[in-house]
């Protein structure tokens, strides 16, 4: 059982949203394995100890020349359609995606609103898998307005996006609740795209992202989505994203296992578009993207998917 948490310490050492790499790496506290033994349907909030990026293996990595792929997982690009679309606009988007030429070595997933999942499932190429944007914490029943992991499986979803910042900061979901959802979804063999990422004021106050427990690291993609970059047009610089991704991977290596660190895809989300994805993809710990706005345009989403070629060239 492990959980994700990182708190950046002094804000003066952080690279802010508009700047590029900090000259000296910021201090982080990390992600650590819980000592408690939890069932697959339990999770809980857990505080963590501080450690510094300087003392982590990331400091060695920066001096290693360009290696574009630190992890061993396949490049992964998800499109989060949020609460957008109509039957007609989604028909058009699916048609654009079906006719796009996509690089073969990328896992591609789209997350339509619940009510359009069936339409998308029945019309979209099998090349692209389907994610839900949320799921309930347990088995279905008398939970008005909720959708269970079993129902998602039944309708052909392979993935669920959990902990998105809009669920945390607009709807008010906390880490404990998200952790329960993640545990339950994983237990039902859904892949989980687990979103983490800090508000601007949290970053400025020295904190990056929140904590929730997960029962296993199989079938999880971690999406680092700084909230200040989501839907704002303020994309994190490749260096800012890399800085956090490497800290997450280092934490996994130290606290879970080197194998999990290597195989877990750590993807970036926050104002990724067809114009900036290639530069981001070149960073060795960026294993793909979670895309909001630009995933609603088939051609742009295809360009983002195909930015895997920039990673291959960089390698
Ligand atoms: C998102 O919603 O996950 C997201 C990253 O949105 P956008 O790409 O629009 O910033």
């Amino acid at each position: 059982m492990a959980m994700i948490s990182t708190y950046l310490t002094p804000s003066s050492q952080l690279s802010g949203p508009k700047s590029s790499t900090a000259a000296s790496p910021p201090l982080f506290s990390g992600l650590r394995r819980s000592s408690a033994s939890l069932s697959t349907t339990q999770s809980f909030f857990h505080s963590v100890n501080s450690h510094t990026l300087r003392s982590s293996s990331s400091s060695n990595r920066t001096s290693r020349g360009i290696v574009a792929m630190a992890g061993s997982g396949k490049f992964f690009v998800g499109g989060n359609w949020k609460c957008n679309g109509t039957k007609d606009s989604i028909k058009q988007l699916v048609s654009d995606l079906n006719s796009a030429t996509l690089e073969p070595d990328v896992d591609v997933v789209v997350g339509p609103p619940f009510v359009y999942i069936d339409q998308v499932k029945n019309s979209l190429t099998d090349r692209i898998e389907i994610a839900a944007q949320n799921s309930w914490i347990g088995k279905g029943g008398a939970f008005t307005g909720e959708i269970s992991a079993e129902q998602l499986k039944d309708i052909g979803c392979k993935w669920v996006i959990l902990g998105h910042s809009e669920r945390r900061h607009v709807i008010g979901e906390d880490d404990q609740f998200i952790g329960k959802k993640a545990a339950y979804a994983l237990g039902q063999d859904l892949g989980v795209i687990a979103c983490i990422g800090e508000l601007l004021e949290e970053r400025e106050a020295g904190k990056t992202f929140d904590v929730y427990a997960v029962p296993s690291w199989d079938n999880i993609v971690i999406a680092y989505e700084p909230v200040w970059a989501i839907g704002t047009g303020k994309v994190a610089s490749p260096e800012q994203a890399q800085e956090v991704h490497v800290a997450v991977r280092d934490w996994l290596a130290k606290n879970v296992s080197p194998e999990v660190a290597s195989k877990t895809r750590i993807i970036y989300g926050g104002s990724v578009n067809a114009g900036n994805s290639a530069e981001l993809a070149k960073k060795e710990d960026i294993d793909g993207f979670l895309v909001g706005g630009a995933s609603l345009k088939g051609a742009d989403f295809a360009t983002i998917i195909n930015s895997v070629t920039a990673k291959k060239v960089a390698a």
Side-chain angles (χ1 to χ4, degrees):
M1 179 73 62
M3 61 193 56
I4 305 170
S5 174
T6 295
Y7 296 89
L8 292 167
T9 49
S11 56
S12 58
Q13 298 192 45
L14 290 173
S15 33
K18 287 180 186 149
S19 65
S20 60
T21 321
S24 59
L27 299 173
F28 280 75
S29 68
L31 320 174
R32 80 178 180 193
R33 185 186 292 274
S34 162
S35 55
S37 164
L38 300 178
S39 81
T40 55
T41 55
Q42 289 177 307
S43 61
F44 63 94
F45 186 91
H46 192 75
S47 61
V48 294
N49 292 330
S50 293
H51 75 280
T52 68
L53 272 182
R54 264 185 213 92
S55 66
S56 77
S57 59
S58 59
S59 51
N60 303 332
R61 196 172 290 157
T62 51
S63 61
R64 271 213 314 247
I66 297 174
V67 178
M69 202 85 189
S72 58
K74 199 171 174 186
F75 204 69
F76 183 104
V77 178
N80 176 13
W81 296 357
K82 309 192 187 191
C83 187
N84 289 299
T86 60
K87 279 193 288 184
D88 285 347
S89 72
I90 285 175
K91 187 174 173 196
Q92 182 62 52
L93 179 52
V94 166
S95 157
D96 293 345
L97 292 173
N98 286 345
S99 57
T101 303
L102 304 180
E103 290 291 323
D105 45 356
V106 185
D107 285 337
V108 185
V109 172
V110 293
F114 284 127
V115 290
Y116 299 117
I117 287 176
D118 203 35
Q119 176 187 339
V120 174
K121 177 73 188 149
N122 291 329
S123 54
L124 185 65
T125 165
D126 290 344
R127 166 75 184 83
I128 301 178
E129 294 186 331
I130 301 196
Q133 297 176 22
N134 190 20
S135 61
W136 177 235
I137 57 170
K139 197 169 159 52
F143 304 106
T144 302
E146 293 297 335
I147 307 284
S148 70
E150 289 89 341
Q151 289 171 324
L152 296 177
K153 289 276 290 183
D154 186 40
I155 205 166
C157 284
K158 296 266 172 52
W159 296 88
V160 60
I161 300 168
L162 293 174
H164 190 278
S165 72
E166 285 146 19
R167 302 291 318 173
R168 285 182 278 133
H169 298 297
V170 182
I171 315 290
E173 292 184 2
D174 64 17
D175 299 318
Q176 207 172 3
F177 193 57
I178 299 162
K180 283 182 187 167
K181 291 181 176 192
Y184 195 81
L186 289 164
Q188 295 303 313
D189 288 330
L190 280 176
V192 169
I193 302 169
C195 302
I196 54 178
E198 77 285 359
L199 294 163
L200 180 55
E201 55 265 37
E202 288 173 331
R203 173 166 270 253
E204 287 172 345
K207 181 180 173 185
T208 53
F209 48 81
D210 287 333
V211 182
Y212 46 95
V214 296
S216 128
W217 288 97
D218 292 334
N219 230 2
I220 291 188
V221 171
I222 297 175
Y224 171 58
E225 299 208 304
V227 182
W228 47 267
I230 297 179
T232 59
K234 286 186 201 164
V235 64
S237 68
E239 292 77 17
Q240 285 175 316
Q242 167 71 11
E243 180 178 70
V244 177
H245 284 222
V246 80
V248 173
R249 199 180 309 281
D250 284 348
W251 183 88
L252 289 170
K254 285 186 188 133
N255 297 283
V256 186
S257 72
E259 292 70 32
V260 166
S262 170
K263 78 173 189 193
T264 301
R265 272 82 62 90
I266 306 169
I267 64 175
Y268 169 78
S271 297
V272 175
N273 61 38
N276 60 27
S277 56
E279 283 309 305
L280 287 158
K282 286 179 189 167
K283 290 294 177 189
E284 64 177 307
D285 286 278
I286 297 182
D287 302 326
F289 302 111
L290 184 57
V291 186
S295 72
L296 297 170
K297 298 171 201 151
D300 288 8
F301 191 56
T303 301
I304 294 166
I305 293 163
N306 292 339
S307 67
V308 71
T309 54
K311 183 168 276 301
K312 286 188 278 193
V313 169

